[in-house]
Amino acid sequence: MDDYRHYANDESGRRVYVGNIKREERHQTKYYCIACGEEMIPVLGEVYEKHFRHKQENPNCSQESYIHKIGKQKLKERFYQQESFNITFIAEVACDNAGVCVR
């Protein structure tokens, strides 16, 4: 079974969240995998979490590729939607004399 994928591209290339698809509308458009481009089907059952799955099984499409592409898209959107864009990361730095310093 595919890992759960909550987003796919519609026929116009727009990213679609599976939770926004109504049952009666699910066959009115085609959806495509963000990672590999293959056709996807929205699964809107009530037992399992709503998600997209490949129409034809695709063992070459990885969850890692899917998450990577979603991350790049969201980062790009955030970059263009805001006036400023900050990236923060934590780095451990110690001076060469850290072991002998008196605190």
Side-chain angles (χ1 to χ4, degrees):
M1 180 177 185
D2 278 339
D3 295 305
Y4 287 159
R5 297 169 192 233
H6 297 107
Y7 294 94
N9 291 329
D10 66 11
E11 295 167 313
S12 67
R14 198 177 63 225
R15 191 176 61 235
V16 177
Y17 175 63
V18 72
N20 293 336
I21 300 172
K22 294 180 176 61
R23 292 180 93 62
E24 59 276 4
E25 298 172 352
R26 68 180 166 182
H27 298 296
Q28 293 177 358
T29 189
K30 289 186 177 185
Y31 302 96
Y32 300 92
C33 180
I34 289 170
C36 71
E38 295 294 320
E39 190 171 349
M40 304 286 277
I41 300 170
V43 178
L44 305 176
E46 296 185 21
V47 176
Y48 295 103
E49 184 176 353
K50 293 179 181 180
H51 63 282
F52 286 100
R53 76 166 180 245
H54 287 95
K55 186 172 183 177
Q56 301 283 332
E57 188 175 331
N58 185 351
N60 297 320
C61 184
S62 73
Q63 181 75 358
E64 182 178 355
S65 295
Y66 168 78
I67 291 170
H68 183 89
K69 286 197 177 184
I70 288 280
K72 288 193 325 185
Q73 289 175 355
K74 289 186 174 256
L75 187 65
K76 181 181 175 183
E77 288 169 5
R78 184 95 183 251
F79 183 79
Y80 285 116
Q81 290 173 353
Q82 298 190 351
E83 189 174 311
S84 64
F85 187 78
N86 297 316
I87 298 175
T88 304
F89 65 95
I90 299 171
E92 259 187 60
V93 179
C95 75
D96 292 339
N97 298 321
V100 293
C101 289
V102 177
R103 295 182 190 200

